Amino acid sequence: MHCREHSGGHLIQSDWGLCTMCFHERVDRIIGRNHLYKESIILVKAWCYYESGTLGSHVLLLSTYALDVLVL
């Protein structure tokens, strides 16, 4: 799966989620260790959403993409 781009260099919106999923899958395979990367993202997202209240870009808080980058 390759992410396609428009002439302006922007990803096609419908493919963005699929490209993100492929990126996370590649990183998870590189790191290995029984899906440590994916489990870390799930754990940190759950903590940010339920405990610290810092997750939710729709209310001007931390976006899930920014959180993924921080975990990486």
Side-chain angles (χ1 to χ4, degrees), residues 35-50 55 67-68 71:
H35 303 292
L36 177 65
Y37 175 70
K38 288 181 183 178
E39 290 177 355
S40 298
I41 287 179
I42 292 169
L43 179 66
V44 172
K45 282 184 180 182
W47 181 82
C48 286
Y49 186 78
Y50 293 108
L55 188 63
L67 184 65
D68 294 348
V71 169

Side-chain angles (χ1 to χ4, degrees), residues 11-60:
L11 287 172
I12 296 172
Q13 185 65 30
S14 62
D15 291 342
W16 182 250
L18 190 56
C19 289
T20 303
M21 183 186 73
C22 290
F23 169 75
H24 287 304
E25 188 62 35
R26 282 187 182 178
V27 171
D28 190 52
R29 286 182 185 169
I30 291 170
I31 293 174
R33 300 188 182 201
N34 203 18
H35 303 292
L36 177 65
Y37 175 70
K38 288 181 183 178
E39 290 177 355
S40 298
I41 287 179
I42 292 169
L43 179 66
V44 172
K45 282 184 180 182
W47 181 82
C48 286
Y49 186 78
Y50 293 108
E51 297 295 326
S52 72
T54 58
L55 188 63
S57 61
H58 62 284
V59 287
L60 302 177

